[in-house]
Amino acid sequence: RHSVRAAAEFLGDHGLHPLAAELIVRMPTLPYATAIDLLARGPGNTTVLVSWKTGHAPRFADEVLVHRQQVALEWAMATSGEGVPVDVAYVVYLTATQPRFGGGGAVVTDAEWHAFRVGPRQFVELYRPLREKFTAAAKRSAAAAQRLRSKAT
């Protein structure tokens, strides 16, 4: 119940109106797909991506970084894979427990939730190393598949 109430508060506090939940997105150039927790319409007709986290506040900075990278990857998949322009994203921890650190990125907080904002500049900074990592992994997978096909013939 707390998570539902906290999520509703976050949406109301930010003027967000849900467009789609659990939206499956894919990366057209790489063999990856995921589900976006929520896409919402925000003030000024912006498209906002929200990733909900339940259970506890982030316990260490690396946890927030991993969640922010996840959101950056989802943003890239929504934009390049599905043609959905995203203007801003939030990682929202639905817990009354306060984070013990900033963890990178702006922290927006309330008694019931804590959010880390990812804007366009942070998106680029977070996504660039992921793109390089996933592109290299996809090339290795393609090369391994080619070797297996060659051995089979």
Side-chain angles (χ1 to χ4, degrees):
R1 288 187 177 151
H2 172 268
S3 293
V4 172
R5 183 179 68 246
E9 266 188 41
F10 175 81
L11 295 174
D13 289 353
H14 286 79
L16 301 179
H17 304 281
L19 296 173
E22 294 300 321
L23 178 67
I24 304 296
V25 292
R26 63 181 174 74
M27 183 64 76
T29 57
L30 301 172
Y32 300 106
T34 191
I36 292 174
D37 290 339
L38 180 71
L39 277 178
R41 182 68 61 215
N45 209 29
T46 57
T47 302
V48 180
L49 187 153
V50 178
S51 179
W52 304 118
K53 304 298 178 198
T54 60
H56 59 79
R59 294 171 288 218
F60 44 90
D62 286 346
E63 186 174 4
V64 175
L65 175 61
V66 166
H67 291 152
R68 291 176 71 228
Q69 287 174 329
Q70 171 196 341
V71 163
L73 187 58
E74 291 171 358
W75 183 330
M77 289 179 175
T79 302
S80 67
E82 308 303 326
V84 177
V86 174
D87 298 299
V88 67
Y90 288 94
V91 177
V92 183
Y93 295 89
L94 301 173
T95 176
T97 306
Q98 287 282 343
R100 290 180 233 157
F101 53 86
V107 179
V108 183
T109 191
D110 182 79
E112 302 293 323
W113 54 263
H114 313 284
F116 290 82
R117 183 180 186 279
V118 177
R121 185 181 332 186
Q122 293 89 12
F123 160 73
V124 171
E125 293 168 1
L126 290 163
Y127 179 63
R128 183 178 296 126
L130 292 175
R131 182 185 63 218
E132 292 166 3
K133 177 181 173 181
F134 289 134
T135 299
K139 287 178 181 178
R140 286 191 303 274
S141 293
Q146 181 60 40
R147 285 192 301 275
L148 287 173
R149 282 192 295 274
S150 296
K151 286 182 181 180
T153 56

